[in-house]
Amino acid sequence: MREASYTPGTDALRHISPLLLRSQDLTATALARMSALNDSAYPSVAGSRAGLELLASSSSLAGTDLAHVMLANPFEGAQLAGYPADDEAVRTVRHAEAIPKMNGHLDDAVHQLDLCAIGCRYLAHGITENLAAPQEQKAAAVQLQTTGPALTPAQHDALTALNGGGYLCESAARGLGVIHVATYDGTRVSIATYRALAKRGLVTRDTGTSLTTGQKITVTEQGQQALAQPRPLSALTTAVAAPPKAAVAQGTHR
């Protein structure tokens, strides 16, 4: 835009019109970005109003200034019937009056676009910093909720067995309403251990079948990740040797 060279009239129309259309595209892009920011967590950040106003103003003002360039341009055309046609002297005067107005608006447009570019760089940096901390906190919370504390040895063994196949069943033989876990390899998995794994999203079951038929248990992707970790060590129990009983001294009666 700084290198734009034109003369008033048709030449200005050909050179300035593309710049005006490009500025309108920038304004449309800025408005789309502003709408996305407005629908995000950004408006709750201190100072965000100034950022939104920046996006709404700079590119819009640049487009307005370019529109004023076109408005000040003395277009060539024939006069209405009954009016004398412009001679070369009149045309020269009209151009001389229009040039400073057009150049002034063009300079203003350049200035607004410079401000827009600088402001958007600062704004992008500020948005990144302001939204990074909440996103990191959210990710940490999700990770904590997903992974939770480390598996116990019993939970790891149960998850390993269920990875080979298992069902959640309600058996009448064990009493009506008694639910238990059955694994293919015969590993005993308590219902409490199963529920602990399910609560953490490590296993899921096929609720489309009845418990009397048996609901297939599947280890989820998160469960597979947990299985990829080494099996936790069982708590070591140290046997403490009992101290020897005090010997009973038997005296010799003399």
Side-chain angles (χ1 to χ4, degrees), residues 14-246:
R14 292 173 178 172
H15 284 84
I16 304 301
S17 292
L19 298 178
L20 176 57
L21 294 175
R22 287 178 63 186
S23 72
Q24 290 174 341
D25 288 339
L26 288 174
T27 300
T29 301
L31 290 175
R33 299 294 185 269
M34 185 174 65
S35 296
L37 284 174
N38 189 65
D39 295 336
S40 70
Y42 182 66
S44 62
V45 176
S48 59
R49 179 186 299 176
L52 295 174
E53 290 175 348
L54 170 66
L55 282 180
S57 63
S58 296
S59 60
S60 300
L61 290 174
T64 300
D65 288 324
L66 287 171
H68 277 93
V69 175
M70 301 305 299
L71 181 62
N73 183 43
F75 293 97
E76 306 296 339
Q79 287 280 31
L80 291 171
Y83 288 85
D86 293 340
D87 57 19
E88 187 62 27
V90 173
R91 182 173 178 272
T92 300
V93 171
R94 291 179 61 214
H95 285 195
E97 292 176 346
I99 287 174
K101 295 179 181 179
M102 296 173 67
N103 287 341
H105 291 306
L106 189 60
D107 290 341
D108 289 342
V110 171
H111 177 65
Q112 290 296 339
L113 289 176
D114 282 341
L115 291 179
C116 184
I118 295 172
C120 284
R121 283 195 290 269
Y122 280 108
L123 180 60
H125 179 72
I127 292 172
T128 302
E129 284 193 341
N130 290 331
L131 296 184
Q135 289 296 333
E136 290 173 357
Q137 294 173 1
K138 181 179 180 181
V142 170
Q143 183 178 7
L144 180 61
Q145 182 180 4
T146 302
T147 60
L151 293 177
T152 65
Q155 290 173 343
H156 193 278
D157 293 342
L159 195 60
T160 301
L162 292 173
N163 194 39
Y167 286 86
L168 191 65
C169 308
E170 183 179 20
S171 175
R174 298 193 176 194
L176 186 62
V178 176
I179 300 174
H180 68 281
V181 178
T183 61
Y184 287 175
D185 63 3
T187 301
R188 295 186 62 182
V189 177
S190 70
I191 190 64
T193 300
Y194 166 77
R195 287 171 177 167
L197 296 175
K199 183 177 181 180
R200 292 173 58 174
L202 303 181
V203 294
T204 184
R205 60 190 172 97
D206 178 17
T207 57
T209 57
S210 66
L211 285 170
T212 54
T213 303
Q215 297 179 346
K216 184 179 179 181
I217 299 173
T218 303
V219 176
T220 64
E221 182 179 351
Q222 296 168 1
Q224 297 292 344
Q225 294 174 0
L227 283 177
Q229 303 300 319
R231 181 183 184 277
L233 298 176
S234 301
L236 296 177
T237 56
T238 303
V240 179
K245 295 182 179 180

